[in-house]
């Protein structure tokens, strides 16, 4: 009887075995957010508090637990997500009463549109989550859409030529590229930035990038290796990408160890980050960039 119940429960869950390569990495980040949300609300090491993560994870049927073997990976993902939440809120606050667009590229199973208040105090914010067909289909099965606001879920490959053509191009636009650029070819990253700057009149782009040493050491990252994804694009300095378009102006360049929240991490993680921050080459292994355009 117990076996029958288990099989019935499994049959009602969404299969994720179809996710390969870059799309498969969304399980690692989802598991990290779920682990963080399980901590007590008054725990100072609770970085994001993504309460949708565990319920989403519970709706998935996967053959192997999507857990990371490295708490460092989880810490980086959580700090990055929290920082991007703050930057998104700052963009919205800077445009009170204006019609704006938030374009979340390669959204995966990210719940930012659920956990942030992006509809209050402004006439119209259009939030568009974008991902590949198999990811969008999975997202529709396991995650609710926001109950308020103009929310859209768009099927598109960010490396495609014409997918931006149907989007409004008459208002400030925020582009979120979290956990994406490293897996694209360098030429595709440059073309993506050029198309964004040519399409929209003004806005911001926020993204995370990895340095050359991260690419060299990617074979040691078992969680990414299991998905079949690989790191292709790297950037050591924000100026490397500022040249992609004449409209791009760098606003922020944060190394991993300077992201707000590092101070509450366990001592061993803080010690590791401190050591890396002093090692030539490795001190540029990962960064968060924000551009105005």
């Amino acid at each position: 009887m117990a076996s029958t119940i288990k099989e019935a429960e499994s049959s009602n869950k969404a299969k994720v075995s179809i996710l390969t390569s870059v799309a498969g990495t969304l399980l690692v980040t989802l598991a990290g957010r779920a682990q963080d949300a399980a901590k007590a609300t008054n725990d100072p090491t609770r970085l994001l508090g993504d309460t949708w993560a565990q319920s989403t994870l519970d709706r998935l049927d996967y053959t192997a637990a999507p857990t990371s073997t490295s708490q460092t990976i989880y810490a980086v993902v959580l700090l990055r997500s929290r920082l991007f939440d703050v930057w998104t809120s700052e963009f919205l606050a800077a445009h009170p009463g204006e019609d704006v667009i938030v374009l979340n590229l390669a959204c995966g199973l990210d719940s930012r549109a659920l956990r942030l208040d992006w509809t209050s105090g402004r006439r119209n914010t259009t939030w568009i989550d974008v991902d590949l067909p198999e990811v969008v289909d999975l997202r529709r099965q396991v995650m609710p859409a926001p109950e308020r606001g103009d929310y859209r879920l768009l099927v598109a490959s960010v490396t495609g030529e014409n997918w931006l053509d149907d989007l409004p191009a008459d208002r400030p636009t925020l582009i979120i590229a979290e956990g994406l650029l490293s897996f694209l070819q360098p030429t595709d990253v440059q073309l993506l930035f050029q198309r964004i700057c040519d399409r929209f009149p003004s806005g911001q782009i926020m993204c995370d990038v990895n340095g050359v040493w991260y690419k060299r050491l990617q074979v040691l990252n078992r969680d990414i290796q299991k998905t079949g994804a690989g790191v292709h694009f790297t950037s050591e300095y924000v100026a490397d990408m500022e040249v992609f378009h004449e409209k791009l102006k760098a606003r922020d360049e944060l190394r991993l160890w300077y992201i707000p929240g590092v101070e509450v991490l366990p001592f061993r993680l803080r010690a590791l980050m401190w050591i890396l921050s002093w090692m030539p080459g490795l001190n540029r292994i990962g960064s968060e960039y924000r551009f105005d355009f």
Side-chain angles (χ1 to χ4, degrees):
M1 178 64 73
S3 176
T4 302
I5 294 174
K6 184 176 181 180
E7 290 174 0
E9 291 176 345
S10 177
S11 66
N12 292 327
K13 294 185 176 184
K15 298 283 187 180
V16 296
S17 57
I18 59 171
L19 299 180
T20 58
S21 191
V22 178
T25 63
L26 62 83
L27 295 180
V28 176
T29 57
L30 177 64
R33 298 199 308 272
Q35 186 183 91
D36 174 71
K39 297 178 180 179
T41 55
N42 61 349
D43 186 337
T45 65
R46 189 176 191 252
L47 297 173
L48 191 62
D50 182 355
T51 56
W52 286 270
Q54 187 59 58
S55 61
T56 301
L57 198 59
D58 290 341
R59 295 186 178 99
L60 299 176
D61 181 10
Y62 41 82
T63 55
T67 54
S68 173
T69 55
S70 171
Q71 292 302 308
T72 303
I73 297 296
Y74 279 167
V76 169
V77 167
L78 293 166
L79 288 171
R80 179 184 72 196
S81 292
R82 191 170 78 163
L83 176 66
F84 281 16
D85 280 2
V86 172
W87 282 355
T88 300
S89 297
E90 289 179 357
F91 176 83
L92 295 172
H95 298 276
E98 292 185 65
D99 293 353
V100 299
I101 296 175
V102 177
L103 193 58
N104 188 20
L105 307 184
C107 63
L109 297 177
D110 172 62
S111 66
R112 184 167 286 116
L114 294 167
R115 65 178 182 259
L116 292 187
D117 179 10
W118 51 276
T119 60
S120 299
R122 49 190 61 88
R123 289 198 303 273
N124 182 32
T125 300
T126 299
W127 189 295
I128 306 173
D129 279 335
V130 183
D131 217 316
L132 299 171
E134 63 270 28
V135 178
V136 168
D137 180 63
L138 179 64
R139 185 181 178 94
R140 286 175 173 151
Q141 294 180 63
V142 301
M143 293 189 71
E147 296 179 355
R148 299 175 57 191
D150 181 9
Y151 175 79
R152 308 176 192 180
L153 188 53
L154 177 65
V155 174
S157 169
V158 299
T159 59
E161 292 185 18
N162 303 315
W163 69 277
L164 289 172
D165 292 350
D166 295 329
L167 301 183
D170 59 349
R171 63 200 70 174
T173 301
L174 172 67
I175 310 296
I176 305 172
E178 182 179 7
L180 169 66
L181 300 186
S182 293
F183 301 115
L184 302 182
Q185 295 295 333
T187 53
D188 287 330
V189 174
Q190 184 168 355
L191 282 172
L192 175 62
F193 273 60
Q194 290 172 351
R195 289 166 180 155
I196 288 170
C197 291
D198 287 339
R199 176 66 182 173
F200 302 108
S202 64
Q204 290 183 355
I205 303 174
M206 61 180 72
C207 60
D208 58 289
V209 297
N210 292 308
V212 172
W213 271 100
Y214 187 93
K215 182 177 181 179
R216 292 172 180 171
L217 298 174
Q218 65 179 308
V219 293
L220 302 179
N221 189 333
R222 288 180 288 174
D223 307 297
I224 299 300
Q225 291 299 307
K226 285 186 293 186
T227 69
V231 173
H232 304 290
F233 174 75
T234 61
S235 174
E236 300 277 296
Y237 300 97
V238 71
D240 298 340
M241 298 173 64
E242 199 175 26
V243 299
F244 287 171
H245 197 281
E246 60 184 10
K247 288 169 62 175
L248 284 173
K249 303 298 179 185
R251 173 183 283 258
D252 293 287
E253 179 182 33
L254 289 180
R255 305 300 181 197
L256 295 179
W257 20 89
Y258 296 128
I259 299 177
V262 168
E263 64 278 0
V264 304
L265 295 179
F267 173 77
R268 62 184 182 84
L269 291 185
R270 285 186 283 121
L272 174 61
M273 289 187 169
W274 183 83
I275 292 171
L276 289 174
S277 71
W278 286 95
M279 299 181 68
L282 288 174
N283 61 3
R284 297 187 296 276
I285 200 169
S287 306
E288 322 300 322
Y289 295 166
R290 181 164 52 160
F291 300 91
D292 293 316
F293 68 89

